[in-house]
Amino acid sequence: MPIDLTPDIQPTRVSEPGFEFVMQTRVLVNPKLRVLGNVGGSGDRKMLEILGGDFEGPKLRGKILPGGGDWPLLRPDGVGIVDARYTFETDDGVYINIINTGYRHAPPETLAVLDAKRAVADPNGYYLRTYTRFEAPLGKYEWLSKHVFVGIGERHPEVLFLRYFMLL
């Protein structure tokens, strides 16, 4: 039976989305990058160990625990796929997991600066964005598990800064 697509039914217009700043993180990674190799022809998989760091925002602050990791995939077209997981400990002792997925791309000369990790590339000259999920326990921080977040990254030789915004 065909579906009646009555043309006079229109969706209710939802307001345009906005963003609210949530926090900035400083993620310290082991400078020794491990190359795991080409995975099924989809690109070169690498591995970075998370050594620690910290985070701070209007509603939360604390430290990044050592032991997480990032397993970026460099596709044949030069686009890097972010695949990172690590754990926060808030200043009041609550553990929150973060799962980052996203993209990194730039002109070849900018990628060379970023990959050499000897200088800072202008963050306006490359794209490093994540869509982020948080796993937070019920209570004070459960709002993190109920919203959509995006991160904007800035790579320095020894640290990765990510600024997180909640989609309203």
Side-chain angles (χ1 to χ4, degrees), residues 50-122:
I50 305 292
L51 299 177
D54 56 26
F55 62 94
E56 184 170 353
K59 298 179 186 175
L60 72 167
R61 68 176 41 87
K63 62 184 176 181
I64 297 170
L65 300 179
D70 184 9
W71 293 267
L73 177 71
L74 183 58
R75 295 188 327 206
D77 65 358
V79 174
I81 306 295
V82 176
D83 181 8
R85 289 175 172 253
Y86 42 98
T87 302
F88 293 167
E89 182 179 0
T90 64
D91 59 356
D92 56 349
V94 176
Y95 297 106
I96 299 168
N97 289 325
I98 181 170
I99 300 104
N100 270 326
T101 306
Y103 299 97
R104 183 190 87 160
H105 53 82
E109 59 276 5
T110 303
L111 284 176
V113 171
L114 290 169
D115 292 341
K117 295 185 176 112
R118 289 190 295 271
V120 176
D122 178 1

